[in-house]
Amino acid sequence: MPSPRAWQKMLSGRRLDLLDPTPVDIEIEDIAHGLSFVARWNGQTRGDYAYSVAEHSLLVETLFSRLTARAEPKWQLAALLHDAPEYVIGDMISPVKAAVGPGYDELDKRLSAAVHLRFGLPATLPANVKRMIKKADKISAWFEATRIAGFSEAEANRFFGAPDPSLMDGLDIVLRPPLETRGDYIARHVELLDKID
């Protein structure tokens, strides 16, 4: 009996093997396209458009840059790409990830390593960089939860921790068509790549 198919064909024409992903099969256009159509919060957000993982990733990169004085462009790029594997495996809320078990985490790690290598980053990020990206991710989750996902501030504080309000000065959550978000995601990616020595 043949093995089940474990690759996905991308719009770029690449075939990404989910069990053994290689950097040469990863294109930023595929990532941006996929992430702009993947809804955060399982789509349970207010507004006329889903809040996409691409939009979330742009916010996390902004927060990471605010948290990290003089952040190196390569680590800003890592923050932008922090959820890149979700362009093929989707965004699962934490309770679902816990129910699925360690298999999801292993798949995510393999895909992350391939994405990092494709764009000149180390397969495994330094612990301090990973920690700061995670912190930015939690602040983003708090902001999203209270602005568009129906959480009270007290409830969000319990789940995500109370962030420093100054980190969100001037930021807003804008729900917009996937095409716009995809374009901004690619543009930011190009801008950061151009800054990396």
Side-chain angles (χ1 to χ4, degrees), residues 46 142-151 153 168 172-173:
R46 296 183 188 107
W142 184 94
F143 194 49
E144 296 162 17
T146 58
R147 297 301 185 275
I148 59 171
F151 285 61
E153 287 194 10
M168 293 169 280
D172 198 8
I173 291 180

Side-chain angles (χ1 to χ4, degrees), residues 128-155:
N128 63 322
V129 171
K130 194 170 181 176
R131 186 172 53 254
M132 292 307 285
I133 292 172
K134 187 65 179 168
K135 185 173 182 178
D137 196 27
K138 285 188 106 176
I139 294 167
S140 176
W142 184 94
F143 194 49
E144 296 162 17
T146 58
R147 297 301 185 275
I148 59 171
F151 285 61
S152 69
E153 287 194 10
E155 190 176 23

Side-chain angles (χ1 to χ4, degrees), residues 21-23 26 85 106-125:
T22 61
I26 294 170
E106 287 304 313
L107 181 60
D108 184 75
K109 284 180 183 174
R110 283 194 301 273
L111 287 164
S112 289
V115 167
H116 291 162
L117 292 172
R118 170 64 177 89
F119 300 112
L121 300 170
T124 303
L125 300 178

